[in-house]
Amino acid sequence: MTTIPLYDPLSPDMLRDPYPTYARMLEEHPVHWHSGMRAWVVVRHADCVRVLREHRTFARDPGRNGEKIPDFRQNVQMMDPPEQTPLRQLLVSAMRSQDKDRLFREAVAFLRGRLTAQESGEPFDWMANLAAPFALHMSAALLGVPEPDEEAYAEISHGIALRMDAGLAPENIPQGDAARKRLNELGESWFPRPEGDTGLIANLIRRADKEFSGSHYIRNSAAMMFNASYGTIFAMVGNAAYLLATDPGLLPELSRPSLVATGVDELIRYDGPAQGTSRIAVSDTTIEGTRIAAGDSVVTLLAAANRDPRVFADPDDIKLDRRPNPHLGFGSGPHACFGSEFGKLSITAVINALSDEGMRLRLAAEPTRRTTATVRSLDTLPVHLDQ
Ligand code: HEM
């Protein structure tokens, strides 16, 4: 059994830059048992894709391993096909019916307002003053619900991000579960909504048939979507801004219409917010010749797979025209992100708003990082906005 005692996802070095360690793991330890997480860690692209797609062998739903899931944690993300399929299809249809052009215009207008309100040259914290309000505004606009209080919501989201690291820091579970219950309460307040409203919730209510209307699965899933949107947009707007602030050539390149779509995908491959996810083996299997027993947890490190040289040439370089770019920043298989287009639209809006206003980001001081391993996010990003 291969163990790497020095691999600690929450250590300051790993939080700052996990990629050299991932590179070593990709070459030397494609599958290893992490005693802290009590899980197999899988890093190669092909292995991660297999684990994520082979849902009959690798469960997302812990109930398939005999664990009882309390009602407040039941949502689309905790179910597997075939039970998951009708609910996921309903949510995907509601997502697809949203007017992307309207949401994009709304995103750019919001960002322009915030950016032009900043004193030119004066340093400010990008995360608190831009990423957080933007993520909240866009998530509320997508779902068609009132914006929750910014500070209270940031606390809920952070609690849920800490809960994702339960394997590493079980002491965070009570705080995380309390945050999930508060999120569900918020979700409850969005149902029912009047007919004719725009937004994803109103659309869901119109589409839901007897099977789902009134079910806590749909309300919990809607709440979970709000947070999946808020948490990832917050983190990715920060990760992208850090890259823009440290490489002055990036924004002019990214702003070229021919590069923006592939460029945004490349930023997500290069330094996305979702570092990994996990599954539970429900039958004995092997990965890279290592035996995985039924009941074992398997962590797929998506961010490591996104630097796998077997799939990505020069994986540590940002290539804005990288095509194809089969990165796993949005996962793969039956749990792949269905908010990916909206997530990319939001990042594109940041690029457009900055370049339309002729603005450049410049670091004002070193950023600080959140001590979360599953979600890779800055906590503060002090920047100047130059014109
Ligand atoms: C850049 C932004 C985003 C990134 C990097 C991202 C990443 C991911 C990843 C990696 C997964 C798969 C997790 C797994 O397999 O366990 C996922 C699932 C999910 N994401 Fe996103 N996401 C983003 C934006 C969004 C947005 C805007 C929404 C809005 C609704 C959203 C909703 C979801 C949902 C509902 C799932 C669970 C799907 C399921 O389990 O069936 N995401 N996301």
Side-chain angles (χ1 to χ4, degrees):
M1 187 181 286
T2 314
T3 56
I4 307 175
L6 293 179
Y7 166 58
D8 172 5
L10 289 174
S11 69
D13 279 354
M14 280 297 288
L15 291 173
R16 197 181 57 253
D17 183 6
Y19 298 105
T21 304
Y22 291 164
R24 213 170 59 239
M25 289 158 73
L26 280 161
E27 289 321 304
E28 297 165 19
H29 306 283
V31 181
H32 81 275
W33 176 256
H34 194 285
S35 48
M37 290 193 267
R38 293 185 309 283
W40 295 101
V41 180
V42 175
V43 289
R44 287 187 181 160
H45 189 274
D47 297 328
C48 289
V49 167
R50 185 192 145 207
V51 171
L52 296 177
R53 291 194 183 162
E54 271 185 28
H55 60 87
R56 286 187 185 80
T57 310
F58 299 99
R60 174 79 219 207
D61 172 5
R64 289 169 63 199
N65 192 37
E67 197 183 311
K68 169 98 184 78
I69 313 294
D71 282 7
F72 75 91
R73 292 190 61 214
Q74 289 169 352
N75 62 49
V76 68
Q77 219 183 6
M78 303 298 274
M79 304 160 80
D80 284 324
E83 290 77 15
Q84 178 225 33
T85 311
L87 177 56
R88 183 171 156 106
Q89 278 172 351
L90 183 68
L91 299 168
V92 170
S93 309
M95 172 66 86
R96 287 203 182 124
S97 70
Q98 297 313 299
D99 182 345
K100 306 272 177 333
D101 293 340
R102 176 184 70 82
L103 289 165
F104 185 73
R105 285 195 301 275
E106 181 145 356
V108 175
F110 180 90
L111 289 161
R112 279 189 176 157
R114 287 274 164 161
L115 290 170
T116 49
Q118 294 296 332
E119 292 275 332
S120 178
E122 283 297 306
F124 69 100
D125 178 13
W126 175 268
M127 301 311 286
N129 292 293
L130 197 128
F134 177 59
L136 200 67
H137 182 79
M138 289 313 289
S139 306
L142 173 68
L143 271 75
V145 297
E147 272 183 48
D149 175 74
E150 201 175 307
E151 214 171 301
Y153 195 77
E155 206 178 289
I156 292 179
S157 178
H158 191 51
I160 291 171
L162 289 172
R163 177 69 170 80
M164 291 178 198
D165 294 343
L168 285 165
E171 66 279 10
N172 292 332
I173 292 178
Q175 185 189 344
D177 284 350
R180 172 72 60 188
K181 285 178 191 162
R182 284 172 64 202
L183 174 66
N184 286 355
E185 278 163 25
L186 190 63
E188 291 287 338
S189 72
W190 301 330
F191 290 82
R193 296 274 294 172
E195 286 281 323
D197 268 5
T198 53
L200 203 147
I201 300 273
N203 193 280
L204 263 184
I205 291 170
R206 283 198 295 276
R207 281 173 195 268
D209 59 11
K210 277 204 189 101
E211 187 186 351
F212 288 117
S213 55
S215 131
H216 70 278
Y217 281 98
I218 196 166
R219 294 192 304 272
N220 289 356
S221 299
M224 178 258 154
M225 283 167 74
F226 186 92
N227 194 60
S229 172
Y230 173 87
T232 52
I233 292 177
F234 171 79
M236 192 59 217
V237 166
N239 294 1
Y242 179 66
L243 294 172
L244 297 178
T246 46
D247 179 351
L250 203 51
L251 183 61
E253 279 292 293
L254 262 175
S255 313
R256 286 165 51 190
S258 61
L259 282 183
V260 68
T262 51
V264 167
D265 255 312
E266 177 67 349
L267 298 188
I268 293 167
R269 177 196 74 84
Y270 184 79
D271 198 22
Q275 293 287 288
T277 183
S278 63
R279 300 290 187 265
I280 303 166
V282 286
S283 52
D284 293 351
T285 185
T286 56
I287 304 178
E288 300 279 348
T290 300
R291 185 173 169 275
I292 314 287
D296 286 354
S297 291
V298 179
V299 169
T300 49
L301 276 187
L302 309 174
N306 286 345
R307 301 285 186 109
D308 188 340
R310 290 157 198 79
V311 176
F312 304 101
D314 305 318
D316 298 325
D317 294 349
I318 297 178
K319 293 181 187 242
L320 296 178
D321 60 351
R322 193 182 286 279
R323 204 184 285 122
N325 191 346
H327 70 78
L328 300 181
F330 293 113
S332 185
H335 287 284
C337 182
F338 54 79
S340 55
E341 291 308 315
F342 184 69
K344 289 196 271 190
L345 167 162
S346 303
I347 306 305
T348 308
V350 174
I351 291 159
N352 274 32
L354 282 169
S355 60
D356 287 358
E357 296 298 326
M359 291 171 166
R360 297 277 182 276
L361 291 175
R362 183 164 51 88
L363 273 193
E366 276 309 301
T368 56
R369 294 208 164 265
R370 295 210 161 166
T371 45
T372 51
T374 308
V375 179
R376 176 165 167 78
S377 174
L378 294 171
D379 193 31
T380 61
L381 177 61
V383 288
H384 297 279
L385 206 51
D386 297 331
Q387 276 192 306

